[in-house]
Amino acid sequence: VSTQSTWAWIPTFLICGTLEEVGFYYFHRFAHHRKLYPYIHKWHHEWKTTYPLAAAYAHPLDQLFVVDMAGILGPLIIIFTIPTYTHYHCLLSYMFYANWHFVQGHSGYYYPNLPRPLSDLLRSTLYHEIHHLKTNSNFGNVPYVDRLHGTEWKGPVDGSSAYSRQD
């Protein structure tokens, strides 16, 4: 790997992460549309608290559009617009990170003492757990696009401590 491609990792991760966040927010918010939610995305929300396996517990269309499309949006745009810009190992590394990030957001592990923006970027479980409890807020992986649209939860945190699935 050349020095040029090594230095391309930083902007590639930033571009991919930004596009994933924007794509995830809009796909996810669309999945909460009153005509779609009961048939597709509600499966994922049967879990009221976050749990690692709940990350993948979703209707196939939900998985395809909300998770997969958002995750590959950045790498696809980079490949088709500037294919010589970065090495495929960087894109594969980003996709590995994106999958880890998705499961980590459902892990139940909270990073309480990290300063911002690091705590935002690691997407604490608490942020996403609030989304599972208050389904009309916290649509993003991190709070930036939610803040832009006024959908970040501002109320008290009253989450449950037990993993439970609503039947």
Side-chain angles (χ1 to χ4, degrees):
V1 177
S2 71
T3 305
Q4 183 180 7
S5 64
T6 301
W7 283 108
W9 283 54
I10 295 169
T12 298
F13 265 67
L14 290 173
I15 291 167
C16 288
T18 301
L19 292 171
E20 177 190 10
E21 176 57 20
V22 170
F24 181 80
Y25 177 88
Y26 289 111
F27 283 129
H28 190 197
R29 190 161 180 190
F30 183 69
H32 279 263
H33 187 277
R34 61 183 171 82
K35 292 186 179 184
L36 292 176
Y37 182 79
Y39 306 105
I40 297 174
H41 193 61
K42 189 175 180 180
W43 288 21
H44 179 69
H45 280 273
E46 288 180 8
W47 292 92
K48 294 299 177 191
T49 56
T50 54
Y51 175 69
L53 293 178
Y57 184 76
H59 187 283
L61 291 174
D62 194 21
Q63 181 69 30
L64 176 66
F65 288 103
V66 175
V67 179
D68 297 340
M69 289 300 289
I72 65 169
L73 193 61
L76 283 178
I77 288 174
I78 288 174
I79 288 169
F80 288 111
T81 58
I82 40 178
T84 59
Y85 174 70
T86 191
H87 200 275
Y88 72 93
H89 285 138
C90 182
L91 296 175
L92 290 175
S93 297
Y94 176 77
M95 294 185 75
F96 175 82
Y97 163 78
N99 281 298
W100 170 83
H101 199 244
F102 183 62
V103 174
Q104 186 274 330
H106 291 84
S107 71
Y109 187 78
Y110 177 58
Y111 303 99
N113 298 317
L114 291 176
R116 276 194 169 159
L118 193 56
S119 62
D120 288 343
L121 295 174
L122 286 174
R123 185 180 133 202
S124 71
T125 299
L126 183 60
Y127 187 79
H128 193 66
E129 188 163 319
I130 291 168
H131 171 72
H132 275 253
L133 293 168
K134 313 289 184 190
T135 59
N136 62 347
S137 64
N138 293 11
F139 295 104
N141 287 319
V142 293
Y144 304 120
V145 183
D146 279 304
R147 288 178 190 152
L148 180 69
H149 290 290
T151 54
E152 183 180 21
W153 177 252
K154 300 265 192 241
V157 178
D158 59 351
S160 65
S161 60
Y163 294 114
S164 62
R165 183 177 151 193
Q166 304 294 320
D167 290 324

